Amino acid sequence: CTIAGLHKGFYDFMKLGIIDRLPRLLGVQSKGCAPLADAFRTGKLKEAKEDTIADSIAVGIPRNPVKALSAVSASKGSWITVSDEAILGAMRTLGKHGIFAEPASAAGYAGLEEARRQNIIKEDETVVFVHTGHGLKDPDNARRAVGTPEPVKADLSALRHRFKTQGE
């Protein structure tokens, strides 16, 4: 539903003259549940198992597969899959930049990294990453990505000392 909605919004913007072309869309799914990416590649939609930490995108039978697949095709985009390990890595990377993302949202960033490795996205292209879910939605996998935080005494000097001795 999200990718079809993004396409509809961009299409409407183009018709209104707000933008002059549709951006290419990159659909990202977990390797553990990728019915749309598989359908894009094979031309056949099949129910998928739901075996991923990114439970918000673990949808074995997508609600609007025709709209989602059509949106990406119409934008001359692509679908890509990422591993749970790549998702955890993306959670760490985003966290270093102040973005606390839950696994399904981090999957989008992991997909951008993979698309760049596969040269689907070129080095000189401008990219927008849509962050859709906060890390507090799934604190267990946040701990899995970065470990359990150590408590800091509730005063500013203790916090400054922690930053000075352990970095960001």
Side-chain angles (χ1 to χ4, degrees), residues 36-56:
L36 296 170
D38 291 343
F40 187 77
R41 187 176 35 79
T42 67
K44 295 182 182 179
L45 181 66
K46 296 180 187 173
E47 182 176 355
K49 63 181 180 167
E50 297 177 1
D51 183 20
T52 177
I53 62 168
D55 62 356
S56 296

Side-chain angles (χ1 to χ4, degrees), residues 10-165:
F10 286 128
Y11 178 83
D12 289 350
F13 279 174
M14 190 176 71
K15 288 296 184 186
L16 291 168
I18 296 170
I19 59 176
D20 60 357
R21 63 180 172 79
L22 287 174
R24 285 185 306 141
L25 299 176
L26 177 69
V28 180
Q29 292 195 295
S30 167
K31 288 181 179 178
C33 187
L36 296 170
D38 291 343
F40 187 77
R41 187 176 35 79
T42 67
K44 295 182 182 179
L45 181 66
K46 296 180 187 173
E47 182 176 355
K49 63 181 180 167
E50 297 177 1
D51 183 20
T52 177
I53 62 168
D55 62 356
S56 296
I57 58 171
V59 181
I61 304 172
R63 184 172 180 170
N64 283 315
V66 172
K67 283 183 179 180
L69 291 165
S70 296
V72 172
S73 292
S75 76
K76 297 179 178 50
S78 191
W79 287 88
I80 199 164
T81 60
V82 294
S83 68
D84 281 354
E85 292 76 26
I87 292 169
L88 290 169
M91 290 171 73
R92 285 188 289 277
T93 298
L94 291 167
K96 288 177 184 176
H97 296 284
I99 300 170
F100 189 21
E102 56 102 7
S105 186
Y109 186 79
L112 287 177
E113 290 180 326
E114 182 61 27
R116 182 63 196 102
R117 273 191 291 280
Q118 293 183 26
N119 209 29
I120 294 169
I121 297 173
K122 310 293 187 251
E123 189 172 324
D124 63 341
E125 290 184 294
T126 299
V127 174
V128 174
F129 160 63
V130 180
H131 168 50
T132 57
H134 193 276
L136 288 177
K137 193 173 175 183
D138 189 347
D140 292 335
N141 277 309
R143 277 190 290 280
R144 187 171 164 195
V146 298
T148 301
E150 294 179 30
V152 177
K153 187 176 173 187
D155 74 51
L156 192 54
S157 63
L159 182 61
R160 286 185 180 131
H161 177 72
R162 173 65 59 91
F163 283 151
K164 191 178 275 187
T165 59

